[in-house]
Amino acid sequence: MMKPAKLLSGFAGIAAGLLVAFLIFGMGGTSDTADADQQNKSNAEKVYVPPGEHDDYYMMASGGHSGQLFVYGLPSMRLIRQVPVFSPDPATGYGFEDESKEMLNGYKWGDFHHPAISETDAEYDGRALFATDVGNNRAAYVDLETFETTDMLEIPNIAGPHCAAFVTPDSEYFFLPTRFSVPIGDEFVGLDEYSEKYKGVMTAVEPDFENEQLEIAFQVMLPPWSYDLSDAGKGTSGGWGFLSTYNTEEAVTNLEINASENDRDYIVMFNWEEIAKEVEDGNFEEVNGVKMFDPVKNPGSVYLVPAPKSPHGVDMTPDGEHFIANGKLSPTTSMYSVEQALEAIENEDFQGEAQGLPILNYDSVIDKEVEVGLGPLHTQFDDKGNAYTTLFIDSQITKWNLDSGKVIDKVDVAYSPGHLAAVEGDTKNPGGKWLVSLNKIAKDQYLSVGPSHPESMDLIDISGEQMEVVGNAPSQPEPHYSQIISADKIETTEVAAKDEDRENAVWSQEEAHIERDGDEVHVYGVALRSRFVFDAESDKPDVVNVKEGDTVHFHITNIDRDEDITHGFGINGYNENFEIQPGHTKTLTVEADKSGSFPIYCTNFCSALHQEMTGYLLVEPE
Ligand code: RUQ
Ligand code: CUA
């Protein structure tokens, strides 16, 4: 047994030790916390945008299966606007009033994966944004002066334009290669004929900036593989496009296993300039009204480059001299030389063919393989010759140097990043300031709202040697991809010009009137603070009388031509609402199939007497 004296000295020894430990480590701990506090403070300063001041950048984020576009400001990460594109939106009346209803053509949803801002000389020009819908095979034109969807195309012969949209350096076209292969011409063909009869068709869409419209230029018939992300060449690679593929196994079932058998799939290189010329010369077949180009029958414009197992993203370097393929099932990223690829094409340096298309010799085209980490998906660039690759499995971003192929830094993000977006990251001049990691999983990052968690975004400062996560925000479903454009490139219209000749518009209260033609009723009305005028002659100018069975067309012009004075138009009990921006005219067609007295009211708070901005739709029974 220990003697009391010894016991005491034992305690004294421990106490002295603790004191020393406290002096060494305890003080250190305090200063660590102070350092972290200081760091948080300086990070907060970097992203703080004071009230009334504006962000430096717009981040245009695709909204996945919500079908919409989400506009964030950077560096604050504030959600500024949801722009309806492929799905109806009751707040704005998109898909309710006649014009957008016709554009949506009955579709209830869309799956918007990759936005593409229009480009001039390989730089974002801020004119338009192109959207594509994996769910229902559509392409849309979003005007960046008004942030409104102005045109929509339904594209035949395709299924799931996932790789899209990617735009050529001068916005000649944007391309929509597909994730799914289907029989050409929409006919029924059993899966036993998959390899011969199914095709993965890529569509070239031509934007018309003058009329803010889209047109299908041509389609290219590709093998029955899945196409997964693409990029357009620029500079040395100008005139070319690059698509990644998986399921070159041509599996029709159980893809998880069956499409992961081959060690290599391909990057498809296609010369769109050449194909456009061929199509012009008549080398196409017409399928469902579209010019279909077959690169097997007309060789010389489509080539295959072997790529690591099931590649996901393929990204062009800013100088257009290399393309980078990320093999989602391999720990490496492959960087290929465009010059070497063009040389291999010239010398017919092929290692075989697949589905009638020549395969370039891998060793002749590869520049380097970079060990970035696990689950590389997408790559972006800065202004100093570095690349940034997302690692889905490692939940990290790797920074590596394009010249040396050396990994410089890795940073943790929360969690499982899919895409990442750098400032002006797809252009020939990336900005190099911010990078946003678009994470698929948020887990514990925010206050819980039950089993459904939001997705998340990390804001990363990439201006220094080391990356630094300085902000994080939840994001709307689902951030597949974003492009970040300098705010000074966007010039918006605040109030629509007064157009006296505009169809169905009346510009004064006195002109408001109602016309009847059998059971068709046209209301030419105005909205202004704080009343509706439908019929100037009537002693109840805000009341519309119709009969059950009539079709009522409300043509309403917002004659308040002041910034941000929007009027709404909701019909209580009739399941209708839309809004009219200052200076706009919108038409809502209502089938008056239900008799009764239905209040009409302004749904957008517009003045102190907004509550008084009402009227009636009176539907007399038959
Ligand atoms: S994909 S997470 Cu739809 Cu853009 Cu790569
Ligand atoms: Cu107009 Cu409220």
Side-chain angles (χ1 to χ4, degrees):
M1 205 187 134
M2 216 182 254
K3 286 188 182 134
K6 253 228 163 128
L7 197 77
L8 238 177
S9 80
F11 276 126
I14 291 168
L18 278 176
L19 182 67
V20 172
F22 174 76
L23 285 174
I24 297 171
F25 303 107
M27 302 260 290
T30 313
S31 84
D32 272 0
T33 326
D35 279 358
D37 280 353
Q38 191 48 47
Q39 191 58 48
N40 282 341
K41 235 172 110 184
S42 78
N43 285 345
E45 268 166 24
K46 283 187 195 166
V47 302
Y48 182 64
V49 179
E53 286 183 29
H54 293 171
D55 279 295
D56 299 329
Y57 300 96
Y58 286 88
M59 179 165 85
M60 315 289 191
S62 61
H65 45 281
S66 76
Q68 315 299 43
L69 170 75
F70 294 99
V71 181
Y72 297 88
L74 285 195
S76 75
M77 311 272 272
R78 293 180 292 200
L79 173 62
I80 299 173
R81 176 56 111 197
Q82 169 183 342
V83 179
V85 183
F86 293 118
S87 318
D89 176 37
T92 54
Y94 185 78
F96 289 63
E97 50 77 33
D98 289 10
E99 211 178 315
S100 55
K101 190 174 184 176
E102 195 188 322
M103 210 156 57
L104 280 184
N105 198 17
Y107 286 103
K108 290 185 290 189
W109 80 295
D111 190 4
F112 175 14
H113 277 235
H114 308 101
I117 297 170
S118 59
E119 292 183 16
T120 301
D121 192 20
E123 302 221 49
Y124 302 150
D125 60 24
R127 286 183 289 172
L129 180 142
F130 308 118
T132 53
D133 168 19
V134 184
N136 286 307
N137 312 325
R138 291 173 292 169
Y141 186 116
V142 180
D143 171 29
L144 292 182
E145 264 178 36
T146 57
F147 283 74
E148 284 175 346
T149 306
T150 58
D151 195 27
M152 192 156 311
L153 282 182
E154 283 177 45
I155 302 174
N157 307 325
I158 67 164
H162 177 244
C163 309
F166 65 105
V167 72
T168 56
D170 280 299
S171 302
E172 294 93 338
Y173 305 103
F174 66 92
F175 295 101
L176 295 83
T178 56
R179 174 169 169 193
F180 307 107
S181 288
V182 286
I184 292 277
D186 309 326
E187 80 230 48
F188 171 81
V189 178
L191 286 170
D192 46 338
E193 290 184 278
Y194 183 86
S195 289
E196 305 79 57
K197 297 272 179 70
Y198 281 58
K199 299 286 172 197
V201 168
M202 178 179 76
T203 310
V205 172
E206 205 177 333
D208 168 357
F209 290 98
E210 187 72 25
N211 299 302
E212 300 176 344
Q213 280 174 353
L214 301 174
E215 205 181 317
I216 301 175
F218 54 84
Q219 292 185 320
V220 182
M221 202 180 339
L222 292 172
W225 305 334
S226 291
Y227 298 89
D228 202 6
L229 270 292
S230 355
D231 206 353
K234 45 184 168 270
T236 322
S237 51
W240 290 83
F242 302 80
L243 325 174
S244 69
T245 63
Y246 62 99
N247 197 17
T248 56
E249 295 86 349
E250 298 171 18
V252 297
T253 181
N254 222 338
L255 262 62
E256 187 185 15
I257 295 161
N258 296 335
S260 306
E261 270 170 16
N262 294 350
D263 275 339
R264 293 221 169 122
D265 292 283
Y266 306 108
I267 300 300
V268 179
M269 274 181 78
F270 68 99
N271 187 328
W272 58 264
E273 265 177 359
E274 188 60 36
I275 296 171
K277 265 189 232 138
E278 293 261 5
V279 170
E280 192 131 306
D281 292 346
N283 291 327
F284 64 84
E285 255 174 74
E286 201 161 300
V287 184
N288 276 330
V290 183
K291 294 168 181 163
M292 180 77 71
F293 176 78
D294 183 345
V296 176
K297 282 193 200 142
N298 305 277
S301 51
V302 179
Y303 299 89
L304 308 175
V305 180
K309 210 173 177 68
S310 300
H312 185 57
V314 58
D315 296 281
M316 205 65 221
T317 54
D319 59 10
E321 285 175 18
H322 293 88
F323 54 102
I324 295 165
N326 298 306
K328 62 181 182 258
L329 298 179
S330 93
T332 59
T333 253
S334 303
M335 180 159 158
Y336 302 86
S337 154
V338 171
E339 208 183 299
Q340 286 165 233
L342 296 179
E343 217 175 275
I345 291 170
E346 182 82 32
N347 301 334
E348 303 197 354
D349 181 2
F350 304 143
Q351 65 177 55
E353 58 96 29
Q355 284 273 7
L357 298 172
I359 306 170
L360 305 188
N361 204 329
Y362 181 78
D363 294 328
S364 308
V365 183
I366 188 75
D367 176 32
K368 51 175 96 69
E369 288 182 356
V370 183
E371 301 237 349
V372 286
L374 285 183
L377 291 184
H378 297 282
T379 299
Q380 285 272 279
F381 307 95
D382 68 11
D383 54 343
K384 300 172 202 79
N386 300 309
Y388 300 80
T389 301
T390 45
L391 304 177
F392 182 82
I393 296 171
D394 285 343
S395 280
Q396 285 184 320
I397 309 280
T398 298
K399 172 181 179 178
W400 54 281
N401 186 267
L402 287 169
D403 274 339
S404 68
K406 291 246 160 58
V407 170
I408 300 169
D409 189 26
K410 289 192 182 192
V411 75
D412 292 334
V413 292
Y415 303 93
S416 303
H419 277 274
L420 73 181
V423 167
E424 310 258 335
D426 292 313
T427 72
K428 66 174 186 191
N429 282 318
K433 178 139 182 62
W434 300 114
L435 180 75
V436 176
S437 173
L438 300 157
N439 309 321
K440 297 297 187 191
I441 313 277
K443 266 195 266 187
D444 51 7
Q445 293 289 294
Y446 312 111
L447 290 176
S448 174
V449 287
S452 170
H453 296 245
E455 276 74 51
S456 87
M457 306 186 283
D458 286 297
L459 180 69
I460 303 168
D461 182 348
I462 54 165
S463 55
E465 178 76 359
Q466 240 71 88
M467 292 177 281
E468 227 181 312
V469 176
V470 295
N472 171 288
S475 62
Q476 299 305 309
E478 183 190 337
H480 282 283
Y481 188 44
S482 301
Q483 283 186 331
I484 304 171
I485 179 172
S486 190
D488 57 20
K489 288 189 182 172
I490 302 278
E491 276 178 44
T492 54
T493 313
E494 301 297 332
V495 177
K498 182 170 175 177
D499 177 2
E500 301 274 1
D501 299 328
R502 191 190 298 141
E503 218 191 333
N504 300 325
V506 288
W507 286 101
S508 68
Q509 299 181 61
E510 295 71 40
E511 288 169 278
H513 65 284
I514 296 174
E515 283 175 21
R516 285 161 212 283
D517 182 6
D519 51 11
E520 297 280 320
V521 181
H522 288 265
V523 179
Y524 297 92
V526 297
L528 69 157
R529 276 165 292 183
S530 304
R531 74 193 80 117
F532 292 110
V533 181
F534 303 130
D535 187 355
E537 310 269 82
S538 166
D539 60 342
K540 297 184 193 69
D542 45 14
V543 174
V544 175
N545 291 288
V546 299
K547 296 214 166 59
E548 191 180 342
D550 282 350
T551 302
V552 193
H553 309 271
F554 289 97
H555 310 286
I556 310 295
T557 301
N558 179 351
I559 61 172
D560 275 325
R561 300 190 53 261
D562 272 342
E563 206 176 301
D564 203 18
I565 300 301
T566 299
H567 295 294
F569 186 103
I571 309 176
N572 179 275
Y574 247 88
N575 199 24
E576 296 286 2
N577 180 46
F578 68 112
E579 66 174 31
I580 317 137
Q581 298 299 330
H584 274 185
T585 305
K586 289 268 152 101
T587 297
L588 174 78
T589 296
V590 179
E591 300 300 337
D593 46 15
K594 186 161 65 169
S595 63
S597 303
F598 303 95
I600 292 170
Y601 70 106
C602 175
T603 46
N604 209 87
F605 214 106
C606 54
S607 75
L609 294 174
H610 153 81
Q611 280 303 91
E612 281 74 7
M613 190 165 171
T614 61
Y616 275 101
L617 169 66
L618 300 177
V619 185
E620 207 181 299
E622 245 180 323

